[in-house]
Amino acid sequence: MNMKKDFLWGGALAANQCEGAYTEDGKGLNIADIMKCSKKGIPRIIDADIQEGEYYPSHEAIDFYHQYKEDIKLFAEMGFKCLRMSISWARIFPNGDDELPNEKGLQFYDNVFDELLKYHIQPVVTLSHFETPLNLVNKYSSWRNPILIDLFMKYAEVVFHRYKNKIKYWITFNEINETMNKEVPWLQAGLKFTENENHNEIKILASHHMFIASAKTVILGHKINPDFKIGCMIQYTPSYTKTCSPQDERARQLYYQQNYYYTDVMVKGKYTTLCQSLLKRLNIDLKISKEDEYLLQNGKVDFIAFSYYFSYVVKAINKYEFSIEKKNEYLKRGQWNRNIDPIGLRIALNELYHHYEIPLFIVENGIPLDDQINEKDEIIDEERIEFFRNHILQIKQSIDEDYIDVMGYTTWGPIDIVSVSTGEMKKRYGFIYVDKDNAGKGTLKRYKKKSFDWYKMVIESNGEKL
Ligand code: BG6
């Protein structure tokens, strides 16, 4: 079995979940900075502003801002070929609509990229990973306002020019399809709703503005450096039907319609019949100008990046509605109510590739475990090793037997970071343990887990040894 020689092995981080230093060197607030840690099963509270004496996990996170050199050294020791990370928009434009960029913010990312390149680790950069500057939400209602397109373009142009000789791989919006999700529109698009509003209409409009921003970014990026590879990024959760009834199968089609809505526009460069059918079902009349049609057609992405964690089970409620659950009697259940489904990753790769036939990049995959450190300072995370072994095996089979073009694989949170959904630290994904708890207490000291050496071996052997 063969992975390509230049297969991009590595890990993935997001600025708001690792950097900390939330107001340092001129950084402005972003939407993650006002989110608290949640209690079990309760969504994170989003404050209107920062409250004195309250704990906000992103403010310090794991202090990557000051400790990036040590952390990158550990990634290099594992043999990373790439590190997926995001630029925090509010470090570059603290209010999002400032006239000039913040030089100190730009310098920070220069330092990080240089450090990575020193070890031949390619940065893979997400422009917007749940990090919209807060001022853009308060002043313009975020992505529901088309002005965000221009402001985003200004930001993209600055970083494209600045880093054009350091970065090749760019990703526009993290998990853009999460905009349609019940809880995530805040993180993804900074969307808040009043009671009487038509939520779907706003989400579709905000998504349209992000599609135009994505297309313009691709066009601009290719002009600035024709070697740039610019991708979209979705959360891809394949789903199985609860029963083999035609109603459930039809429900599954409806579920998929929502995911492909996003990739169709960004990969095929138009609102396809599938997209139109979703709009009809939601009873939304989206007006698309000739200019927008032109932009979408000319700003198609170079690759599809996606996250994969688990699979769903879909069941019909009626002709137009369906329910989704994670419980699947055929699958083992892990912590945080997740099923463990390595074959689901192969299914995801097949479904996406055979729909679009452009390169795929698995930019998030991993298992959250409440890892414990023993008296010898060891963390024996066999379950994580087993999880990755089985998932990587499926990737290899997808490449060898299904002819899928996979560019690379970056595991989520190669070092423990703040969980986006709960704000917890104990929801750990890393090969490197960080001493910090859910209340923000700890030394921030880093420890290698057992999986550290295992992943090193996998990369060294280009996936041969698992
Ligand atoms: C993805 C996000 O949805 O899942 C990441 O892109 C996130 O930002 C990851 O951290 C894992 O989710 P969580 O809630 O366990 O941190």
Side-chain angles (χ1 to χ4, degrees):
M1 295 204 195
N2 281 318
M3 310 299 252
K4 284 185 206 167
K5 266 209 183 91
D6 56 357
F7 190 79
L8 290 165
W9 292 101
L13 300 169
N16 72 90
Q17 292 169 261
C18 70
E19 284 178 3
Y22 82 111
T23 52
E24 211 163 313
D25 291 334
K27 178 184 163 291
L29 296 183
N30 63 37
I31 54 178
D33 291 329
I34 54 165
M35 294 180 80
K36 288 193 191 124
C37 196
S38 74
K39 305 233 160 43
K40 214 173 174 197
I42 301 171
R44 286 176 77 176
I45 294 169
I46 304 163
D47 280 337
D49 213 336
I50 289 168
Q51 316 283 316
E52 190 84 12
E54 293 285 342
Y55 170 58
Y56 297 90
S58 72
H59 292 191
E60 181 190 51
I62 60 157
D63 196 33
F64 182 78
Y65 194 79
H66 299 109
Q67 307 197 31
Y68 69 90
K69 285 194 180 162
E70 295 82 349
D71 293 341
I72 290 172
K73 196 167 174 220
L74 289 167
F75 300 152
E77 198 183 326
M78 276 188 280
F80 278 21
K81 309 285 180 213
C82 76
L83 180 74
R84 177 185 172 221
M85 53 178 281
S86 67
I87 294 180
S88 175
W89 185 352
R91 278 201 197 283
I92 311 303
F93 286 99
N95 300 295
D97 60 355
D98 316 73
E99 209 190 315
L100 295 173
N102 171 27
E103 177 54 32
K104 285 192 172 160
L106 288 165
Q107 190 56 55
F108 168 68
Y109 291 107
D110 261 320
N111 298 344
V112 174
F113 298 151
D114 289 345
E115 193 67 19
L116 288 165
L117 294 170
K118 182 171 112 185
Y119 295 106
H120 308 289
I121 301 175
Q122 290 204 52
V124 175
V125 175
T126 311
L127 290 167
S128 181
H129 192 132
F130 304 160
E131 284 148 352
T132 309
L134 192 58
N135 178 52
L136 299 185
V137 176
N138 297 335
K139 197 160 161 188
Y140 306 108
S141 304
S142 195
W143 282 99
R144 66 167 87 191
N145 187 336
I147 196 174
L148 268 272
I149 301 172
D150 299 334
L151 297 170
F152 183 81
M153 291 317 297
K154 192 170 167 187
Y155 156 59
E157 188 168 3
V158 165
V159 297
F160 277 171
H161 274 297
R162 177 84 171 212
Y163 308 122
K164 67 172 187 281
N165 298 322
K166 296 184 181 175
I167 315 290
K168 176 174 178 186
Y169 297 102
W170 299 89
I171 290 168
T172 49
F173 298 96
N174 183 62
E175 294 187 339
I176 186 168
N177 57 330
E178 282 288 75
T179 309
M180 284 307 280
N181 191 318
K182 254 202 215 130
E183 282 155 21
V184 190
W186 168 257
L187 278 170
Q188 177 44 261
L191 296 180
K192 290 193 274 197
F193 307 100
T194 55
E195 246 176 49
N196 299 324
E197 284 183 318
N198 179 339
H199 295 195
N200 281 335
E201 205 166 56
I202 293 161
K203 290 173 183 178
I204 290 288
L205 185 67
S207 301
H208 179 68
H209 296 148
M210 288 193 274
F211 289 151
I212 299 301
S214 160
K216 285 181 134 183
T217 304
V218 172
I219 296 168
L220 176 76
H222 287 160
K223 221 181 267 170
I224 292 175
N225 184 345
D227 289 337
F228 277 178
K229 296 283 175 217
I230 306 171
C232 61
M233 195 298 196
I234 57 162
Q235 185 216 66
Y236 200 81
T237 310
S239 92
Y240 314 122
T241 50
K242 182 92 177 170
T243 70
C244 55
S245 78
Q247 286 81 0
D248 281 355
E249 181 55 33
R250 175 64 190 147
R252 196 170 77 98
Q253 279 188 343
L254 295 179
Y255 164 76
Y256 272 95
Q257 198 179 46
Q258 203 166 294
N259 284 332
Y260 292 142
Y261 180 86
Y262 286 84
T263 29
D264 268 20
V265 179
M266 292 180 294
V267 180
K268 295 185 175 173
K270 60 181 181 185
Y271 283 88
T272 58
T273 47
L274 175 141
C275 301
Q276 290 166 27
S277 142
L278 176 77
L279 292 173
K280 183 159 191 181
R281 175 157 64 90
L282 300 177
N283 200 14
I284 293 168
D285 180 21
L286 181 68
K287 303 258 183 304
I288 301 153
S289 67
K290 285 274 164 243
E291 192 196 341
D292 285 356
E293 276 176 14
Y294 173 87
L295 289 168
L296 293 176
Q297 198 41 230
N298 287 279
K300 292 187 249 178
V301 292
D302 299 314
F303 63 91
I304 300 172
F306 71 99
S307 58
Y308 171 77
Y309 290 94
F310 47 79
S311 55
Y312 281 143
V313 173
V314 168
K315 184 171 168 43
I317 295 173
N318 57 40
K319 201 172 156 195
Y320 299 113
E321 291 173 303
F322 52 86
S323 64
I324 289 172
E325 46 186 83
K326 284 185 202 156
K327 198 165 160 221
N328 181 332
E329 59 180 301
Y330 299 98
L331 298 174
K332 211 172 122 189
R333 274 162 92 76
Q335 297 178 15
W336 277 274
N337 186 29
R338 291 191 166 183
N339 61 53
I340 298 174
D341 183 8
I343 296 177
L345 178 55
R346 183 167 181 182
I347 292 171
L349 286 164
N350 272 270
E351 287 177 342
L352 277 171
Y353 194 67
H354 297 315
H355 254 88
Y356 298 110
E357 292 211 328
I358 64 170
L360 301 179
F361 197 164
I362 306 156
V363 292
E364 285 185 33
N365 178 230
I367 183 168
L369 297 174
D370 182 6
D371 295 305
Q372 301 300 323
I373 188 158
N374 68 20
E375 57 296 337
K376 289 193 230 147
D377 283 350
E378 297 164 331
I379 302 102
I380 311 293
D381 54 342
E382 292 290 354
E383 209 177 329
R384 179 167 292 111
I385 295 174
E386 163 98 358
F387 177 95
F388 283 127
R389 179 183 293 123
N390 293 335
H391 282 75
I392 294 171
L393 206 58
Q394 293 297 323
I395 303 172
K396 289 170 63 161
Q397 288 172 3
S398 306
I399 294 172
D400 275 9
E401 296 170 19
D402 311 331
Y403 302 105
I404 313 287
D405 184 356
V406 188
M407 296 161 60
Y409 179 68
T410 57
T411 68
W412 180 248
I415 179 166
D416 295 345
I417 52 177
V418 171
S419 153
V420 90
S421 57
T422 66
E424 290 172 287
M425 266 308 296
K426 72 168 192 177
K427 194 176 181 190
R428 299 171 184 277
Y429 289 87
F431 303 112
I432 301 160
Y433 182 93
V434 177
D435 177 29
K436 188 170 179 178
D437 65 18
N438 283 354
K441 306 251 169 1
T443 59
L444 288 173
K445 195 171 165 204
R446 276 70 165 148
Y447 299 84
K448 294 176 194 170
K449 301 182 194 175
K450 185 166 184 198
S451 56
F452 184 100
D453 286 329
W454 178 83
Y455 196 44
K456 181 177 182 213
M457 171 193 82
V458 172
I459 299 179
E460 221 162 49
S461 67
N462 201 19
E464 280 303 307
K465 291 189 190 150
L466 292 176

